[in-house]
């Protein structure tokens, strides 16, 4: 038995030449270095297998002495001619005369060159490598796993398809408690939030029709009674009404424009949306603010304080009075960033744009201290980008600013002061 690491002398079945090779397994492929013939290791013979061929040749040579025969003539060009190729496998063997003293390798078939004459060739042995055995077992395992998985999936499908129908148990209906708004510690719901469920958007078309009829009647009225019928709570404003529209007025006020102002400002506090209108007259070209209020009888009439103060410029006149302390005014307001006041005061105050006419001219800035109950109230009740209507108690604030400044002392209806 051969051992790895040793060399063996093999005989090529194609050319019959002997060569040395490293010993390896019988199923390995071996290549002849003389004719480049490749075949499994078992197809190559060894010196021991062809020993009988040598002995037969020796016996034949001794039995028949050599006869003198003339050597074939060799043409000069045959020294460089190609050797005669061996017989093609499967073709008829060349006929050797009986008196030939030698039996050469070229007269033998490929199988005969590797084994003794007169003996049958050995049977081929086929072996299966351990790698092939491992692959067969691996394939069987994978197939078995696949069968198990498919069987489990089929069983689950069958179980679900034939499961009995589920009949829910009928129980008494559960009562869902009403939603309660969460009030976190340190926070209070705003008045706008508490009254949000009660707020209905007004019919702006109906408001516009009422405003047009009331304004035309107010300007055309020739008696106090007719004028009073156009004004909400007219008994409290009789003197101002007669001073503006009475019979003793030197110059009658004429209508120039009546139009609805886009948007719906909110009442502060409360958050009720209110349609407002611009009324430009011969005396107020910038336009006074008109809003309607609903009386106890359900009828809408002109809110006189808002109209009168914005038409007559009451806030502007107040700021021009020397020594004025505080006063109440109906104004429109909107939160701003406080860029009109000095930078060192912006952390101290909340600031608002104040509107006293329909065109925001002239422009005022109102301030309220942040760390006060009123400041916290107005911060909580107002939102960025929203306009409001309110009645404020204000006084002059003497600081260097880009617009006349006011300090908000109080807000009508505020719960915190």
């Amino acid at each position: 038995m051969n051992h790895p690491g040793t060399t063996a002398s093999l005989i090529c079945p194609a050319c019959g030449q002997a060569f040395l090779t490293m010993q390896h397994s019988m199923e390995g492929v071996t290549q002849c270095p003389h004719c480049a013939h490749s075949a499994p290791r078992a197809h190559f013979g060894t010196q021991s297998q062809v020993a009988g061929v040598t002995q037969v040749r020796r016996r034949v040579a001794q039995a028949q002495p050599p006869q003198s025969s003339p050597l074939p003539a060799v043409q000069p060009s045959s020294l460089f001619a190609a050797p005669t190729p061996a017989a093609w496998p499967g073709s008829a063997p060349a006929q050797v005369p009986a008196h030939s003293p030698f039996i050469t390798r070229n007269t033998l078939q490929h199988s005969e060159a590797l084994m003794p004459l007169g003996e049958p060739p050995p049977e081929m042995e086929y072996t299966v490598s351990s790698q092939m055995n491992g692959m067969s077992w691996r394939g069987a395992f994978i197939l078995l796993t696949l069968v198990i998985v498919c069987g489990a999936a089929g069983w689950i499908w069958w179980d679900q398809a034939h499961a009995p129908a589920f009949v829910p148990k009928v129980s008494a209906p559960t009562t869902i408690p009403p939603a309660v708004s969460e009030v976190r510690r340190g926070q209070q719901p705003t008045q706008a939030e508490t009254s949000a469920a009660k707020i209905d958007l007004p019919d702006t078309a109906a408001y516009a029709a009422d405003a047009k009829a009331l304004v035309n009647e107010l300007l055309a009225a020739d008696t106090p009674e007719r004028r009073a019928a156009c004004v909400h709570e007219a008994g409290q404003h009789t003197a101002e009404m007669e001073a503006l529209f009475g019979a003793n007025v030197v110059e009658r006020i004429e209508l120039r424009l009546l139009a609805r102002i886009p948007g719906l400002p909110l009442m502060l506090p409360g958050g009720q949306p209110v349609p407002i209108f611009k009324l430009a007259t011969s005396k107020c070209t910038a336009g006074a603010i008109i809003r309607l209020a609903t009386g106890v009888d359900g009828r809408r009439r002109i809110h006189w304080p808002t109209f009168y103060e914005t038409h007559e410029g009451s806030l502007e006149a107040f700021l021009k009075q020397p020594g004025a302390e505080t006063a109440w005014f109906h104004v429109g307001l909107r939160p701003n960033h406080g860029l009109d006041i000095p930078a060192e005061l912006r952390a101290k105050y909340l600031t608002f744009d104040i509107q006293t006419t329909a065109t925001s001219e002239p422009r005022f800035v109102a301030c309220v201290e942040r760390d006060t109950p009123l400041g916290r109230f107005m911060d909580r009740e107002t939102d960025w980008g929203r306009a409001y209507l309110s009645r404020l108690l204000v006084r002059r604030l003497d600081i260097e600013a880009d617009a006349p400044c006011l300090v908000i002392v109080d807000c009508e209806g505020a719960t915190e002061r």
Side-chain angles (χ1 to χ4, degrees), residues 295-355:
V296 293
D297 57 355
R299 294 182 57 188
R300 288 187 286 263
R301 297 178 176 86
I302 297 174
H303 187 264
W304 181 261
T306 302
F307 163 72
Y308 182 78
E309 294 174 9
T310 57
H311 188 272
E312 297 299 312
S314 301
L315 180 58
E316 183 179 6
F318 166 76
L319 293 178
K320 293 180 180 179
Q321 295 177 4
E325 295 185 357
T326 59
W328 288 93
F329 295 97
H330 289 83
V331 297
L333 68 157
R334 183 192 302 268
N336 67 17
H337 292 282
L339 301 180
D340 298 291
I341 66 176
E344 59 272 13
L345 297 178
R346 294 171 191 168
K348 180 180 179 181
Y349 292 109
L350 291 173
T351 56
F352 301 86
D353 287 324
I354 297 298
Q355 183 173 349

Side-chain angles (χ1 to χ4, degrees), residues 180-193:
V180 180
S181 59
E182 178 185 4
V183 179
R184 299 182 180 180
R185 182 177 299 178
Q187 295 182 351
Q188 296 181 1
T190 64
Q191 294 186 12
E193 293 173 347

Side-chain angles (χ1 to χ4, degrees), residues 129-305:
S129 63
S130 59
Q131 183 179 4
M132 296 296 294
N133 292 333
M135 293 180 62
S136 61
W137 280 106
R138 189 180 297 109
F141 177 76
I142 294 175
L143 180 60
L144 179 61
T145 304
L146 183 61
V147 170
I148 294 174
V149 171
C150 293
W155 180 82
I156 294 175
W157 172 82
W158 177 268
D159 184 69
Q160 293 181 354
H162 296 78
F166 174 74
V167 179
K169 182 180 179 181
V170 179
S171 59
T174 58
T175 303
I176 301 177
V180 180
S181 59
E182 178 185 4
V183 179
R184 299 182 180 180
R185 182 177 299 178
Q187 295 182 351
Q188 296 181 1
T190 64
Q191 294 186 12
E193 293 173 347
T194 55
S195 59
K198 304 177 182 179
I199 293 177
D200 295 326
L201 293 179
D203 186 353
T204 56
Y207 269 79
D210 291 346
K212 181 179 180 181
L214 291 170
V215 168
N216 290 331
E217 176 65 16
L218 178 64
L219 296 178
D222 54 358
T223 63
E225 291 77 18
R226 289 181 61 185
R227 285 186 286 270
C230 300
V231 176
H232 178 68
E233 297 179 349
Q236 302 177 14
H237 314 291
T238 304
E240 296 175 348
M241 291 168 54
E242 293 303 316
L244 194 59
F245 296 106
N248 299 327
V249 175
V250 177
E251 183 180 358
R252 301 290 297 181
I253 297 176
E254 297 179 0
L255 177 64
R256 294 288 185 265
L257 176 67
L258 177 64
R260 179 175 173 267
I261 299 176
L264 290 174
L266 306 180
M267 294 300 301
L268 181 67
Q272 180 68 37
V274 179
I276 58 176
F277 303 87
K278 174 184 177 180
L279 175 61
T281 65
S282 57
K283 188 177 180 179
C284 179
T285 57
I289 297 176
I290 292 287
R291 77 177 180 92
L292 305 182
T294 304
V296 293
D297 57 355
R299 294 182 57 188
R300 288 187 286 263
R301 297 178 176 86
I302 297 174
H303 187 264
W304 181 261

